[in-house]
Amino acid sequence: MGSPLRRDLHWLAARLKIGLHGIEERIAARHGMSLWGYTVLVEVVSGPARTQLALAAAVPVDKTKLVAILDELESSGLVRRRPDPRDRRARLVDPTDAGREACEAASAEIRAVEDDLLSDLEPGERERFVDALQRIVLTRLEDASGHVPGGQGCP
């Protein structure tokens, strides 16, 4: 633990993010999608059909990047796009059965990795750790910087 960097919040968070990114990228690939594809698919599966614009805000990701991600998911048979009956110019995005299954399987693998990473913590400590991270990222960081870098997007 000698270096002062090992107590630096940015250094620690960056190492965690880089490590998790690589692990989750491999998991997503095993289930036929990119990590951005997984991130979008989680949002698609988690709620009612939404327009591409609403998904771009929820993830958040640039609208032009979202189109490419949805193209990837659609060509893999994980989502389908259909005209919005309220606005035929807009497209609603729905998960397919295969998309739900892939999302569930990838999520289970990711949860197993997270469980392993947090295995040295008692159950109460785990919950407090995750709650503290949420408060720091979604509240304190926003207060300090004026915005949440990358919003809710994972990759």
Side-chain angles (χ1 to χ4, degrees):
M1 292 293 224
S3 172
L5 278 177
R6 287 171 171 68
R7 302 278 315 155
D8 181 82
L9 186 58
H10 178 263
W11 188 88
L12 291 168
R15 301 289 85 61
L16 179 62
K17 195 257 187 236
I18 291 166
L20 282 173
H21 184 276
I23 292 166
E24 291 182 10
E25 195 169 52
R26 288 188 297 276
I27 291 169
R30 280 198 299 272
H31 295 281
M33 64 194 116
S34 67
L35 189 49
W36 270 113
Y38 170 74
T39 302
V40 171
L41 188 59
V42 167
E43 281 296 317
V44 170
V45 167
S46 72
R50 286 181 268 183
T51 64
Q52 292 180 185
L53 189 60
L55 278 174
V59 172
V61 63
D62 180 81
K63 290 178 282 188
T64 57
K65 183 172 182 161
L66 180 65
V67 169
I69 295 166
L70 289 172
D71 287 347
E72 163 206 324
L73 292 171
E74 193 170 41
S75 69
S76 296
L78 303 175
V79 300
R80 68 183 175 100
R81 289 180 273 196
R82 60 186 168 88
D84 183 343
R86 294 174 304 236
D87 179 358
R88 304 222 19 105
R89 296 168 295 170
R91 298 278 178 248
L92 294 174
V93 182
D94 296 299
T96 63
D97 289 342
R100 287 184 194 284
E101 290 170 14
C103 186
E104 185 177 310
S107 293
E109 284 188 51
I110 288 169
R111 280 192 306 276
V113 167
E114 291 171 353
D115 286 344
D116 184 56
L117 286 174
L118 301 176
S119 64
D120 289 341
L121 302 177
E122 297 295 324
E125 285 181 297
R126 287 179 180 198
E127 191 172 326
R128 287 189 301 277
F129 175 71
V130 173
D131 287 347
L133 283 176
Q134 284 180 320
R135 282 193 314 276
I136 291 166
V137 172
L138 300 176
T139 304
R140 302 297 298 161
L141 188 59
E142 185 173 6
D143 290 347
S145 67
H147 73 286
V148 177
Q152 299 171 4
C154 292

